[in-house]
Amino acid sequence: MSVKQRLMTLGRHIDEGEREHPEATGDFSGLLSDLAIAVKLIWREVSKAGLIEILGSTDRQNDSGDEIKKLDEFANETIYRAMDHGGHLCVMASEESQGLMKIPDRYPKGKYVLVYDPIDGSSNIDANVSIGSIFGIFRRVTPSGPGTEEDCLQSGYKLAAAAYVIYGSSTIFVYCTGKGVHGFTLDPSVGEFLLSHENMRIPKRGKTYSVNEGNYEKWDANVRNYVDYLKKDDPGTGRPYTSRYVGSLVADLHRNILHGGIFLYPGDKTYPEGKLRLVYECSPLSYIVEHAGGRASDGTGRILDIVPTCIHQRTKLFIGSEEDVKEAEDFIQGRRIA
Ligand code: AHG
Ligand code: MN
Ligand code: MN
C-alpha cells in the first residue's frame, strides 16, 4: 500500500499550528477559520458565475431585495462581513475599497489587521479562467481602539501570516504563518479544505517566465534586455524559457511555486511604478514565496522591506525562483545585457 498524505483539514492544521504557541489565545486560528468561510462563500459564487448569463439573471435580486453584485464587489463585501465581528481585527483594507474598512463601533476590536485583494485576475472572470484572492495579516501597531492607517502601512516582513486562494479547476487555499507554506484543496462534496501540498518549496531555478509581453514597447531597455535574454536559444542554460501568462497573478505564481519560474510586472510607460499593489498583492505573495525558498524584488530591493506610504501604493514586481529573480535584478540594474 502506498503511503498517503495525512488526512488533515485546514481547520485542524491551523489549530495544531497554534497549539505550538502556548501563549496563543486562539484569536489567530479564529481569524483564519473565519477567512476560510468567506473563501468558501466566494468559491460558491465563482462556480456559478457562468450561470448568471444562462439564467438571464443579471438583474435578479437577492433575498434582501438587493441587486446581485459583480463578483469583485461580492467578494469584497463577503470577506468584510465574515471578518468584521469576530473580535480578531481592528481594521481592514482592500484593493476594492477606497479608504480603510473600519470595524463597526458595536463590535470588539482585536489585535490583527487584514489587507486583501478580494478577486485577483478580475478580467478573467467571464472567460472561466482561474482567478484568486490574496490576504495579508499584520499584528496591529497602535495600542487599542479602532485600527488606523498606521496599522495597515507595514512592511511585508512584519506580516504574521499570508494566504492566497485559487478558484481554478479545483479551489486551493495556500497559507503561511512563518512555518512553511501549505496548500489545501477544497473537497466540494464535504465543503472542507484538505491538506494537499504540505511544505511547498519553489525550485531554485525554473524555465518559465510570466509577463504581459504586449507591453514590450513600453518597457525600458533593461527590462527588454532581460526578456530578450530569456528567449535566446541556449540549451546549456535552459533557454529559451517557456512563456506562460494567465493574467491572474495568483494562478501564474502558484504554477511557478510548484514548477519554478519567474513572474514579472515591471514598470512601463502606463504604470511607471509598476501596476500591482504593494499592500494587497505583492507583500503577501512575497512573504509566501520567501517562505517557500524563493525571492521577490522590485528590481532593486526586497519587496518585503518596502515601507508603504499609501494603502493603494503600486510597485514593480519580480517574483519566483531565487536564481531567476537574482538574474532579473542583474539585468534591471544594468549589470548584464542579453
Ligand atoms: P486585479 O484583478 O486584482 O486588478 O489584478 C490583476 C493583476 C494580476 O492578477 C495580473 O497578473 C495582472 O493584473 C494582469 O494585468 P495585465 O492585464 O496588465 O497584464
Ligand atoms: Mn489583483
Ligand atoms: Mn482585485
Side-chain angles (χ1 to χ4, degrees), residues 173-194:
F173 185 104
V174 174
Y175 89 112
C176 175
T177 58
K179 283 188 139 193
V181 174
H182 308 290
F184 296 75
T185 302
L186 183 66
D187 181 336
S189 62
V190 288
E192 282 283 3
F193 281 104
L194 300 176

Side-chain angles (χ1 to χ4, degrees), residues 67-76 125:
E67 201 180 308
I68 297 291
K69 305 255 170 50
K70 284 176 134 167
L71 203 52
D72 276 304
E73 213 175 313
F74 172 85
N76 196 37
I125 295 172

Side-chain angles (χ1 to χ4, degrees), residues 210-285:
S210 316
V211 67
N212 185 342
E213 216 166 331
N215 293 329
Y216 187 90
E217 292 289 328
K218 297 200 264 175
W219 297 334
D220 69 24
N222 291 349
V223 178
R224 289 206 295 254
N225 237 306
Y226 174 58
V227 173
D228 290 345
Y229 165 81
L230 294 176
K231 297 198 298 189
K232 282 217 167 121
D233 188 21
D234 180 9
T237 59
R239 291 176 294 146
Y241 272 30
T242 294
S243 166
R244 289 280 182 277
Y245 191 69
V246 176
S248 299
L249 169 60
V250 173
D252 278 311
L253 189 77
H254 182 67
R255 185 201 52 245
N256 288 355
I257 291 178
L258 294 178
H259 304 305
I262 182 166
F263 174 99
L264 49 151
Y265 210 113
D268 58 38
K269 283 198 183 121
T270 312
Y271 296 106
E273 296 311 315
K275 178 188 171 190
L276 299 172
R277 314 284 182 146
L278 173 63
V279 173
Y280 318 111
E281 296 172 314
C282 301
S283 280
L285 295 178

Side-chain angles (χ1 to χ4, degrees), residues 75 93 95-96 106 133 137 148 163 167 224 230 232 241 249 264 304 310:
E95 187 192 81
E96 291 296 328
R106 60 188 181 281
S133 300
I137 298 165
T148 68
Y167 314 96
R224 289 206 295 254
L230 294 176
K232 282 217 167 121
Y241 272 30
L249 169 60
L264 49 151
L304 294 184
C310 145

